[in-house]
Amino acid sequence: MIQSSELILNPDGSVYHLNLKPENLAHTIIVVGDQNRVEKITQFFESIEFSTQKREFKTQTGMYKGKRISVISTGIGPDNIDIVFNELDALVNIDFETRQPKQDLVSLNIIRVGTSGSLQEDIPVDSIVMSKFGLGLDNMLHSYLIEEITHPEIEDAFIQQTNWDLKKGRPYVISCSEKLEKLIESDQIFKGFTATAPGFYGPQGRVLRLAIQDPELNHKMDNFNFEGTRITNLEMETSAIYGLCKLLGHEALSLNAIIANRANGTFSEDPYKAVDDLIAYTLDKLAH
């Protein structure tokens, strides 16, 4: 039995942070960082059957072209991903009455819809990047047993090419869901290698008043190459999503609207349209 201190439920029987009961959750899920982006997606639904919000975690579940979908905001960063994805798994794979894992496990289909900046000149603003791999620069996932799901040969190349300081932890590389990749891919989008930082300022090379450990890291990341694979963009959730989903048996794919290109210094003239285009693209693919 899973103790009450480990799987925390609210008085109404919902899971602690997400405020959801199992019947509130669809098995196809879109996750976004910003709680205000939830309704930017669900405005296209024919109907909404359930809505809730607790802290930054907002959920709406409804129907889009006959398909039941939940849209959930995760907030920012790998630590929030740890909360959201463990609770999503608990909702479908743990019996809340007996507090035991179920015999027949459910595999969720989870798509991240986010924004990011491109690190490569040939990936322009207003394009879409599908993350073939996630590169984790955080340490959250090292709390779990990840050796069987990572790509050590790419990790070793990154450590060597960037002279990575292992006091910050070993970077990890995890691939996306092949099932969802085949469902979502098209010649309209780029396939990329997405780096996930554990913070927005120093961890992404931004300097305000604090000096950072490696001022050249961004430049080294821009130039990383492993057998033709380059780091295409930098954000704060993808690798953590990929890692937890691989470990828990769920399918995950991360999509980013590129609103800035750091290599050529450009920014989208209409970043809201770029996000709207990504939402429309994702919903169209999921409806088929």
Side-chain angles (χ1 to χ4, degrees), residues 159 162-169 213:
I159 292 167
T162 63
N163 193 27
W164 181 262
D165 186 345
L166 288 174
K167 291 196 296 291
K168 295 191 291 187
Q213 182 267 332

Side-chain angles (χ1 to χ4, degrees), residues 186-203:
S186 76
D187 56 9
Q188 301 175 48
I189 65 177
F190 293 87
K191 291 187 180 181
F193 183 22
T194 299
T196 296
F200 184 77
Y201 288 97

Side-chain angles (χ1 to χ4, degrees), residues 78 81 112 131-136 172 174 176 193-197 233 235-244 252-256:
I81 295 302
R112 177 185 184 270
S131 304
K132 177 79 173 174
F133 295 97
L135 166 66
Y172 61 91
I174 302 177
C176 71
F193 183 22
T194 299
T196 296
N233 59 312
E235 47 78 273
M236 294 181 63
E237 288 83 32
T238 293
S239 64
I241 291 172
Y242 283 6
L244 287 175
L253 189 68
S254 178
L255 301 173
N256 278 279

Side-chain angles (χ1 to χ4, degrees), residues 225-273:
N225 191 302
F226 177 79
E227 298 178 356
T229 296
R230 307 167 301 162
I231 298 174
T232 51
N233 59 312
L234 179 63
E235 47 78 273
M236 294 181 63
E237 288 83 32
T238 293
S239 64
I241 291 172
Y242 283 6
L244 287 175
C245 283
K246 289 279 188 187
L247 292 171
L248 292 166
H250 304 298
E251 308 287 343
L253 189 68
S254 178
L255 301 173
N256 278 279
I258 299 300
I259 60 173
N261 185 298
R262 196 174 69 195
N264 57 32
T266 56
F267 191 83
S268 173
E269 294 183 3
D270 192 349
Y272 298 107
K273 182 179 184 301

Side-chain angles (χ1 to χ4, degrees), residues 3 20 90 102 120 130-131 157 169 229 269 272:
Q3 298 298 314
L20 297 174
K102 295 179 180 178
Q120 304 297 335
M130 169 195 293
S131 304
T229 296
E269 294 183 3
Y272 298 107

Side-chain angles (χ1 to χ4, degrees), residues 119-120 158 161-162 216-226 229-231 262:
L119 305 185
Q120 304 297 335
F158 179 82
Q161 291 183 35
T162 63
E216 297 300 315
L217 180 59
N218 280 8
H219 176 70
K220 290 184 281 190
M221 288 174 60
D222 294 347
N223 291 286
F224 171 80
N225 191 302
F226 177 79
T229 296
R230 307 167 301 162
I231 298 174
R262 196 174 69 195

Side-chain angles (χ1 to χ4, degrees), residues 98-207:
T98 65
R99 292 185 166 270
Q100 298 278 1
K102 295 179 180 178
Q103 291 289 328
D104 298 319
L105 299 179
V106 169
S107 179
L108 299 168
N109 294 316
I110 305 174
I111 307 280
R112 177 185 184 270
V113 170
T115 58
S116 186
S118 170
L119 305 185
Q120 304 297 335
E121 192 168 4
D122 59 335
I123 301 178
V125 296
D126 302 326
S127 62
I128 296 171
V129 168
M130 169 195 293
S131 304
K132 177 79 173 174
F133 295 97
L135 166 66
L137 305 179
D138 63 288
N139 284 311
M140 184 278 290
L141 210 67
H142 286 298
S143 295
Y144 303 98
L145 303 175
I146 64 173
E147 286 74 16
E148 293 186 2
I149 63 169
T150 60
H151 294 266
E153 68 285 359
I154 307 178
E155 297 163 5
D156 290 340
F158 179 82
I159 292 167
Q160 189 273 323
Q161 291 183 35
T162 63
N163 193 27
W164 181 262
D165 186 345
L166 288 174
K167 291 196 296 291
K168 295 191 291 187
R170 179 180 172 88
Y172 61 91
V173 176
I174 302 177
S175 58
C176 71
S177 159
E178 293 184 6
K179 171 189 168 183
L180 292 181
E181 177 186 0
K182 291 175 182 176
L183 176 68
I184 300 294
E185 67 184 354
S186 76
D187 56 9
Q188 301 175 48
I189 65 177
F190 293 87
K191 291 187 180 181
F193 183 22
T194 299
T196 296
F200 184 77
Y201 288 97
Q204 293 191 35
R206 293 181 173 92
V207 177

